[in-house]
Amino acid sequence: MSFYIGREASKLWKRFCAEVTTEINLLAENWKYIFGGIVFQYIHGLAARGVHYLHRPGPVLQDVGFILLPELGQDRAYISESVFTCIFLSFVLWTFHPFILKSKKIYTVLIWCRVLAFLVACQILRILTFYSTQLPGPNYHCREGSKLATLPPPNSALEVLLINFPRGILYGCGDLIFSSHMIFSLVFVRTYHKYGTRNFVKAFAWLTVVIQSLLIVASRKHYTVDVVVAWYTVNLVVFFLDKKLPELPDRSNAALFLPLTKDSKNKEENHKLLNGNSGDDWRPRTQINGKIMEDGNVLHVEVVNSA
């Protein structure tokens, strides 16, 4: 039993090391896209912080979602954030599953290049939209009488650049149309829908996003229009941008990303590890009349020559 556990642990470690080597090579080629996408996340947070200085509280606008959905209240407003956190963490863990699991269809670096491209495109549209018109925030801390509804003029540029993370993000006002939570959730779910392998998880993910949409409105964090606009905007952006981006390479060509080595056996073993095989199956194979025998034994073939 201990021998089996040790052998499996050795296979897992070899597969992990082979995957790390491949992903490092891909990161060296694509680090500019990853770095640019991460930097824009800060720019997006900075824009959301800036619009808070422009926000002016007022009466909550009439909203059909507020009429149809009961208000959760401040004590239960965390429910929608909890659902979003589950979606976010689940997707992040899935993108790193090739480092451990055998069944893998994606490269982590390349999938995040694609995801960040979708996020940046949607966030640019979002920034243009919420700076065009500032609606009175429906969230509890954005309503009239709340000290957090308006921000005093900054004392220095550093105060703006630091964006008071994470409090400045959680208690922001004015960045309404369209929902940032829906941008992330829809991009993640659409990405898994295309590259994921389990249909049950795909259906459950879409159902979770629908539930999250209702919870966002019920918790009064956004107007219904913020959620509706996110649904068709994000889906359209991902649909058209996905056609312009280069498709992810097939993992059957994993050897193309491996470092050059003089040992062809090691290279082939790494290739097997990257594609879900243990690399320990080196049984001899003999080909007879176009058929490959797995056990290495030559079958007796009786040839009858016709006159």
Side-chain angles (χ1 to χ4, degrees):
M1 183 66 179
S2 60
F3 173 75
Y4 174 78
I5 295 176
R7 186 179 65 177
E8 291 301 315
S10 176
K11 291 179 182 179
L12 179 62
W13 176 248
K14 289 180 181 178
R15 186 163 60 246
F16 177 80
C17 292
E19 198 71 35
V20 168
T21 301
T22 302
E23 294 292 346
I24 289 177
N25 292 336
L26 290 173
L27 183 60
E29 297 176 2
N30 300 278
W31 69 270
K32 294 180 181 179
Y33 304 108
I34 298 292
F35 180 74
I38 294 175
V39 169
F40 195 85
Q41 300 310 302
Y42 167 75
I43 296 175
H44 175 257
L46 191 65
R49 174 70 171 177
V51 80
H52 196 168
Y53 289 101
L54 304 177
H55 177 257
R56 295 295 177 266
V60 177
L61 303 179
Q62 183 175 347
D63 189 281
V64 65
F66 293 176
I67 298 174
L68 297 177
L69 295 175
E71 188 171 353
L72 288 179
Q74 286 182 284
D75 296 335
R76 290 179 292 180
Y78 68 90
I79 298 177
S80 65
E81 288 295 333
S82 300
V83 173
F84 173 75
T85 302
C86 290
I87 295 174
F88 188 92
L89 293 180
S90 298
F91 181 81
V92 171
L93 291 176
W94 171 75
T95 61
F96 284 92
H97 83 276
F99 287 87
I100 299 176
L101 301 181
K102 292 183 179 180
S103 57
K104 43 203 172 184
K105 188 180 177 182
I106 63 170
Y107 293 99
T108 301
V109 169
L110 298 183
I111 202 73
W112 274 107
C113 286
R114 208 172 191 85
V115 167
L116 287 171
F118 296 150
L119 292 177
V120 169
C122 293
Q123 288 168 338
I124 289 175
L125 295 177
R126 182 174 188 261
I127 293 172
L128 295 175
T129 305
F130 66 63
Y131 265 102
S132 299
T133 302
Q134 291 83 48
L135 303 179
N139 211 333
Y140 303 104
H141 63 269
C142 297
R143 299 178 184 179
E144 291 180 306
S146 173
K147 296 181 180 179
L148 300 175
T150 58
L151 290 178
N155 296 321
S156 63
L158 185 62
E159 181 180 341
V160 179
L161 295 176
L162 292 179
I163 67 176
N164 192 22
F165 184 84
R167 183 178 177 83
I169 302 297
L170 296 175
Y171 293 97
C173 298
D175 57 327
L176 293 174
I177 300 177
F178 41 96
S179 171
S180 180
H181 285 60
M182 292 303 301
I183 291 178
F184 280 90
S185 299
L186 288 170
V187 167
F188 290 167
V189 172
R190 282 192 64 97
T191 303
Y192 182 81
H193 185 85
K194 181 175 181 179
Y195 297 106
T197 57
R198 300 184 180 275
N199 292 330
F200 169 77
V201 177
K202 295 178 184 180
F204 180 75
W206 282 111
L207 177 62
T208 304
V209 176
V210 172
I211 294 174
Q212 185 198 6
S213 303
L214 300 176
L215 289 174
I216 288 176
V217 177
S219 60
R220 303 304 187 253
K221 294 181 178 180
H222 279 277
Y223 293 107
T224 306
V225 65
D226 306 336
V227 175
V228 172
V229 171
W231 267 96
Y232 63 74
T233 302
V234 176
N235 280 293
L236 287 173
V237 168
V238 174
F239 176 78
F240 287 107
L241 194 58
D242 187 61
K243 295 181 178 297
K244 300 295 183 181
L245 294 176
E247 190 51 77
L248 295 184
D250 189 352
R251 290 224 55 157
S252 61
N253 297 325
L256 298 176
F257 298 101
L258 292 174
L260 296 177
T261 175
K262 295 181 180 180
D263 190 346
S264 59
K265 182 176 179 180
N266 289 338
K267 184 174 181 179
E268 185 174 352
E269 182 178 357
N270 288 338
H271 175 77
K272 286 174 174 254
L273 289 171
L274 284 169
N275 287 277
N277 298 324
S278 64
D280 295 336
D281 187 10
W282 291 97
R283 293 175 295 177
R285 292 168 171 81
T286 305
Q287 183 172 355
I288 301 178
N289 294 332
K291 295 184 179 179
I292 297 175
M293 309 307 297
E294 293 287 345
D295 56 0
N297 297 323
V298 179
L299 293 178
H300 175 69
V301 179
E302 183 176 352
V303 180
V304 180
N305 295 324
S306 57

